[in-house]
């Protein structure tokens, strides 16, 4: 399993960083501070999910989908996944496919930026 982002300043993204949107989540990526060791962070805000049960479920779904698409994460990027309310209606296979599509978009955007 990959390392996670824990400090607030590592969650901050720039305007030119690649971004991919899905109905259930948003993915943002930026160059990692630790080359060769990509990390990810999860955001499920209280404003979006009033109940802790929903916030925890959203993060659990994101972790599962990341685990299934782990090979698509580039080692030179840090990823921040922001859960949207619609994530609670996604099925397992639908979520995994959406995550794969978003990570492919990030990889394509990163390649074009280089």
């Amino acid at each position: 399993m990959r390392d996670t982002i824990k400090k607030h300043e590592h969650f901050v993204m720039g305007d030119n960083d690649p971004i991919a949107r899905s109905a259930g989540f948003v993915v943002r990526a930026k160059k990692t501070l630790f080359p060769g060791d990509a990390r990810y962070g999860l955001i499920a805000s209280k404003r979006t999910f009033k109940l802790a049960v929903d916030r925890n479920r959203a993060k659990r779904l994101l972790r599962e989908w990341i685990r299934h698409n782990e090979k698509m994460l580039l080692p030179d990027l840090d990823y921040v996944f922001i859960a949207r309310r619609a994530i609670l209606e996604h099925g397992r296979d639908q979520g995994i496919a959406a995550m794969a599509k978003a990570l492919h978009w990030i990889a394509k955007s990163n390649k074009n930026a280089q």
Side-chain angles (χ1 to χ4, degrees):
M1 182 52 82
R2 296 187 180 270
D3 192 19
T4 57
I5 299 173
K6 294 180 178 59
K7 293 185 178 181
H8 173 74
E9 58 266 12
H10 295 166
F11 276 94
V12 177
M13 297 286 171
D15 292 337
N16 296 333
D17 294 328
I19 184 168
R21 292 176 176 86
S22 171
F25 59 90
V26 175
V27 183
R28 299 202 64 182
K30 71 174 183 176
K31 289 286 184 191
T32 184
L33 297 174
F34 309 101
D37 185 26
R39 301 176 303 161
Y40 69 88
L42 305 175
I43 298 175
S45 69
K46 204 173 197 179
R47 182 178 178 186
T48 305
F49 303 97
K50 302 294 182 207
L51 300 176
V53 172
D54 293 338
R55 288 191 299 275
N56 293 338
R57 182 162 184 258
K59 290 186 283 188
R60 195 168 45 248
L61 288 170
L62 284 172
R63 275 189 218 103
E64 180 184 357
W65 299 346
I66 292 167
R67 206 172 306 121
H68 280 288
N69 293 298
E70 192 170 17
K71 291 181 177 33
M72 295 183 74
L73 297 176
L74 300 175
D76 61 336
L77 293 178
D78 282 345
Y79 296 86
V80 174
F81 297 89
I82 305 165
R84 290 181 168 176
R85 188 80 190 145
I87 196 170
L88 299 178
E89 285 84 41
H90 274 63
R92 183 175 186 263
D93 294 332
Q94 182 185 9
I96 291 170
M99 180 69 70
K101 186 176 178 180
L103 292 176
H104 177 71
W105 177 261
I106 292 286
K108 184 177 157 184
S109 298
N110 186 51
K111 190 169 96 173
N112 290 340
Q114 290 178 351

